[in-house]
Amino acid sequence: MLCHHQGAIQRQPPPPIEAGLTLHELQELLSLFLEPAAQTISNSGSAGSSGRSSGSMDDRKRRRMISNRDSARRSRLRKKQKQEELTVLLNRLTAENRELENRLNQTTSRCYLVRRENERLSSECITLATRLSDLYGISISIENESAVIAMHRN
């Protein structure tokens, strides 16, 4: 912004703009607008053919800078969006991982209980098999004694 104060041209800082530009970028952009005005004041109206070509070069340079700024802004927005998407993905995968870990812990606990029950049942099976064998032996002994008694009666 140009201010005429006591016959001298002074530059004042531009008002803050919410466009995602840095201070340096804003200063460069401002200088593009101020330089032609300063040249016009210093040349005091001598705008020849060299002024026009310089103006068109400045115009192209200004448009290219604006285009580059827009491209950089879009790139920052894409980067920010990608980072937000990755954050959402991270949160989802963290929650899924926690759920899978809980399920694994529950399955491990159930497996431990089933193994203990299996050991108990195996031990009980051995005890019952031993008892059955003993009972079978007793049964055979009783049958043998019955047969001997029956033979003595005859």
Side-chain angles (χ1 to χ4, degrees):
M1 184 181 296
L2 291 179
C3 293
H4 296 284
H5 186 313
Q6 298 176 355
I9 298 174
Q10 294 180 347
R11 292 185 184 184
Q12 293 188 355
I17 298 174
E18 297 293 326
L21 300 175
T22 66
L23 179 61
H24 180 68
E25 292 170 338
L26 287 172
Q27 288 172 342
E28 280 183 33
L29 197 55
L30 182 62
S31 71
L32 289 174
F33 290 109
L34 293 178
E35 285 175 8
Q39 287 176 356
T40 304
I41 293 171
S42 66
N43 290 342
S44 62
S46 65
S49 64
S50 67
R52 286 184 188 151
S53 68
S54 163
S56 67
M57 289 295 281
D58 287 345
D59 228 19
R60 275 189 264 152
K61 182 178 178 183
R62 180 179 54 79
R63 282 184 297 203
R64 188 172 57 247
M65 285 182 68
I66 290 171
S67 174
N68 288 345
R69 301 257 190 275
D70 287 342
S71 177
R73 181 181 52 78
R74 287 190 305 271
S75 175
R76 286 190 300 270
L77 288 174
R78 281 192 306 271
K79 182 179 178 182
K80 182 179 178 184
Q81 183 179 10
K82 184 65 174 176
Q83 183 177 2
E84 289 171 356
E85 289 172 3
L86 289 174
T87 301
V88 168
L89 179 62
L90 173 67
N91 292 337
R92 184 179 61 79
L93 291 176
T94 300
E96 184 179 338
N97 190 32
R98 195 176 9 227
E99 175 62 28
L100 289 172
E101 192 172 346
N102 288 340
R103 287 175 53 193
L104 176 64
N105 289 337
Q106 290 172 354
T107 303
T108 302
S109 294
R110 276 187 262 154
C111 181
Y112 175 75
L113 293 175
V114 167
R115 283 187 180 180
R116 285 191 52 196
E117 179 69 10
N118 190 29
E119 289 171 4
R120 185 188 68 75
L121 291 173
S122 293
S123 176
E124 186 177 337
C125 182
I126 292 170
T127 303
L128 291 174
T130 304
R131 254 176 105 186
L132 182 61
S133 178
D134 290 346
L135 289 173
Y136 182 70
I138 293 171
S139 171
I140 289 182
S141 295
I142 291 174
E143 284 179 14
N144 287 340
E145 281 185 32
S146 295
V148 170
I149 293 175
M151 279 179 32
H152 284 308
R153 287 191 186 163
N154 290 344

